[in-house]
Amino acid sequence: MYDVIIVGGGIIGCALARELSRYNVRLALLEKEVEVGFGTSKTNSGIIHAGHHSPPGTLKGQFEWSGNQLWGDLAKELKFGFKHIGELLIAQKREDLQYLENLKKQGDSRGVTGLEMWGPKRIQKEEPNLSHTILKALHAPTAAVINPYEACFGLIECAKQNGLELFCDHPVQSIKRERDNFSIATPRGSFRARIILNAAGLFADHVAAMVGAKTFSISPRKGEEYLLDRRLQGIVTHLIFPTPTATSKGVLIIPTVDGPTMVGPTAEDIDDREDLSTSYSGAADVFAAVRKTCPAISERDTITEFAGLRAVSESNDFIIKRSPVKNFYNIAGIQSPGLTAAPVIATYVINMLRDNDLSLVKKQTWKADIDGPPRFAAMSPKDRKAAIHKDSAFGQIVCRCELVTEAEVLYAIKHGARTLDGVKFRVRAGMGRCQGGFCTTRLMDLLAQADEIPLSEITKRGKGSEICIQRHDIIPKKDDR
Amino acid sequence: MKNQMRKNYSVIVVGGGPAGLAAALGARQAGAERILIIDREVETGGILNQCIHSGFGLHYFKEELTGPEYAERFNQQVRSDKITILTDSYVLNITPDLKIEVISKKHGYLNLRAKAVVLAMGCRERTRGAIRTPGFRPSGVMTAGLAQKMVNMKGVLPGQRVAILGSGDIGMIMARRLILEGCQVVGVFELHPFSSGLTRNKVQCLDDFDIPLHLSTTVAFIHGRKRVERLTLAPVTTDYKPDLKQSWDIQCDTLLFSIGLIPENELSARLRIKMDPATGGPQVSSTMETSLPGVFACGNVLHVHDIVDFVSEESHRAGRYAAELALGMRRPGDNITLYPGENIASCTPHSLSSDREQTIYLRVKQPVKDATLKIGNRYEQKFRTLVPSEMVKLSLPPKVLNHFFGEQLRIEVSSEEGAQ
């Protein structure tokens, strides 16, 4: 019997888990994928928004700036990459200038610091590779970049060390009300809880419907992103936003926290909640838009592409409230700036729980920070020497494109990586320009050794995505010679 | 962790594949004493170790060998020449004054110095991302070389029903290899109107096994959320755009990419060596020296070869010149600049010296029949066919070269009619 069960291990579920782990409650998180952060969060652009974008009078507007200010400390405590690179929202048409002015006012009135309007000269000085047709840009120095999946891994590790019980590969199949409690069924056992926090992302309406708490519906909005070769690292140094359209912030140029530049996303409303496919038209749209702002970027520089799905509610705002069913809370429709808002959403939800008769007593031993994974690529030569001296596995490069050592891969496996994607998103092995061509078999060997399983049981991201088969698995063709 | 490594070398070779091994032997033959080969794998030989098919050595040894056999000939010579090999080691950085930072599990962190460095890091495969194939991102999508490593080194298979995009040599060789393992190969699909690999591989690997080669065709969509389930294929128009109206689907669980190779020049790029955009490798002089004095390049890191025999020849030469420099000898500077003209995709080296015989490797852009290869206005050679997938090797004697002293020499190919 748990006091609280969180359904969904995306950025929201993970932030809730860490925040709740401060208190003396018996806490569990159920995630349908094999690892946390493997849904929408994995494909998020990784932007901590500056604070001025979202309109007032919405939860988005309420949380964007307050969320922004929490990420720097979170990154320090949870040892994930965080860079305050700032943002430029550019106007290329006269009619866009008013939008910039309005946005500046909106930000200033909210207390967003450092907002500044730049003219062409300043823009050319700071970002010489941007189009020369840009009339003005609104500079917001508070914008930052992170890796959303690293944040998930850090949050969940911290929550685990403070008592969270994590159950991955546990999709929720049904929820029953049993007197004052809930019984949650999964293919791998059932769980009982007093309180359920529904953070099931794209499937939050489905989960809510299981207890008759569906007061909203979610529709997926697809975004395709294109990651460029490290050769183009530094082509822009700020996040570059065009003036947005009605449905989307537009196609951005994102200097990711690891260095490589990424362009995207598209915004396309679709029906299928698992359609993560990329398309010819997506690529064409992204690069056509990017060429307008930064002509030097070409589709030829792509090393990989992917798609993600935003969980959009019909209100277009976050849904964070008690449901008609007592002790069942929906935290849904968390689209942009959901990542930015996540840590504030977590405290907001906890205040809501407190107001609703959950007695929350702080633990005496709560530990805010984690040791965090080692990062050989980021070490100084001196630190590298010391690391190799202490553990010779740091002397073994596994992924040459991103300079990842065996020691880091083993650390990732020890801390929960069960799949190739799990390793890749924790340590970057396989994320570089060869896209795993050289390191895949090495990573498979390490995973197989750690779990004492044959290579054929190793998956890309869970059952059904095995990488290889054994020779004896071949079913001979009847008409074989 | 004991550090018994010597610190100073005459020649350090980065990479112990066919290029690195031959370069080290060349350096020894030219008289260099302290030679070191650094390789990131557990044994030298490079990609040859996973190329268990035959067809290697026909030019260099005048006999047909498998990849591992070909590598072993060089390994043996390297051993008997007492050349030091550092395997399972990774070069982190090379500085312009030829200090080399290396890490390895066994030796820890090493700072080495060399009088000459030979870059022989080879190449890597182009991936799905490079051509932005639309669709899902399931498992079962990988490069042909990775599949080759799985099958030949790890004893597992990438899947059961396999499609191959790109008719590069590795793709065609893997088509045959997977048939021999009992897999089904549903077809090889090639964007270009001609095969991207050697003719002999098309005949021996596809035709002999009734594997269809679909030219001017591409994969327009990858279906399957966890594992590849199906592909949408489409013919391409003359500007290589897929014609989706004429597309069709094919069932398979695996898609291999064999769509070209890229020289691995990350170290060279950090050294700010001048590169040739046509080859993706450094620009080199007739002594295989890059724009950075003392740094030489050879093999697939310089330009992608089709056959290893040419790699060995070229690299042996690079090793010799590296040794000469380490020993304090200097060849006269080059006096002819070479540049590609009509229907030449690339040519290496980038400059020549008229004092000795020069070897030039080049590739055409488009296939041609009854071609005339012209060098300047003095030298002509006829070819029945020239195709982009087969590199041309030319040797020019000093008596030809002397005519071009101080000139910008243009190589071009002309023909009465195109091959297609």
Side-chain angles (χ1 to χ4, degrees), chain A residues 226 272 274-280 299-300 302-306 376 381 384-385 388-389 392-397 400 403 406 433-438 440-442 444-445 455 460-461 463-471 473-475 477 481, chain B residues 1 40-41 47 88 90 92 101 103-105 108-109 111 123-124 127-130 132-139 142-143 146 149-151 154-160 177 181-184 209-210 218-221 225-227 242 244 264 266:
Chain A
Y226 292 78
D272 184 343
E274 288 174 337
D275 178 1
L276 293 169
S277 63
T278 52
S279 63
Y280 283 122
E299 53 269 42
R300 281 193 297 272
T302 311
I303 62 167
T304 188
E305 62 280 313
F306 57 89
F376 187 79
R384 286 177 177 176
K385 259 179 228 178
I388 297 169
H389 190 72
S392 65
F394 279 106
Q396 182 79 57
I397 297 292
R400 57 173 91 155
L403 206 65
E406 188 180 293
R433 39 167 63 111
C434 93
Q435 287 289 298
F438 289 111
T440 296
T441 54
R442 286 191 175 204
M444 288 171 74
D445 282 341
L455 292 175
K460 180 169 164 60
R461 51 169 172 263
K463 207 156 178 48
S465 66
E466 285 75 15
I467 310 291
C468 64
I469 59 175
Q470 301 284 1
R471 284 198 163 96
D473 292 336
I474 288 272
I475 305 157
K477 245 184 10 185
R481 281 163 280 209
Chain B
M1 204 183 312
R40 56 196 159 199
E41 295 298 326
I47 292 299
D88 229 357
Y90 185 91
L92 282 176
E101 268 176 85
I103 57 167
S104 90
K105 224 174 176 174
Y109 204 100
N111 280 303
C123 59
R124 65 168 181 272
T127 65
R128 173 185 179 176
R132 297 171 304 288
T133 303
F136 289 87
R137 310 192 63 73
S139 76
M142 66 181 83
T143 60
L146 174 56
K149 190 168 179 187
M150 279 187 184
V151 177
K154 295 284 159 193
V156 290
L157 301 174
Q160 170 129 351
R177 185 80 190 89
E181 287 287 344
C183 307
Q184 297 154 48
F209 292 85
D210 298 329
T218 194
V219 175
F221 202 88
R225 292 169 190 212
K226 292 179 172 171
R227 176 81 200 184
L244 297 173
E264 277 233 303
E266 280 60 57

Side-chain angles (χ1 to χ4, degrees), chain A residues 205-251:
Chain A
D205 53 345
H206 291 184
V207 169
M210 291 175 188
V211 281
K214 185 180 172 231
T215 55
F216 59 93
S217 55
I218 296 293
S219 55
R221 183 176 293 157
K222 192 199 276 190
E224 297 182 24
E225 307 248 26
Y226 292 78
L227 187 71
L228 310 178
D229 193 280
R230 275 196 188 269
R231 200 169 60 72
L232 286 187
Q233 187 165 334
I235 190 146
V236 296
T237 54
H238 299 79
L239 289 154
I240 308 297
F241 284 57
T243 304
T245 63
T247 52
S248 147
K249 291 197 163 88
V251 173

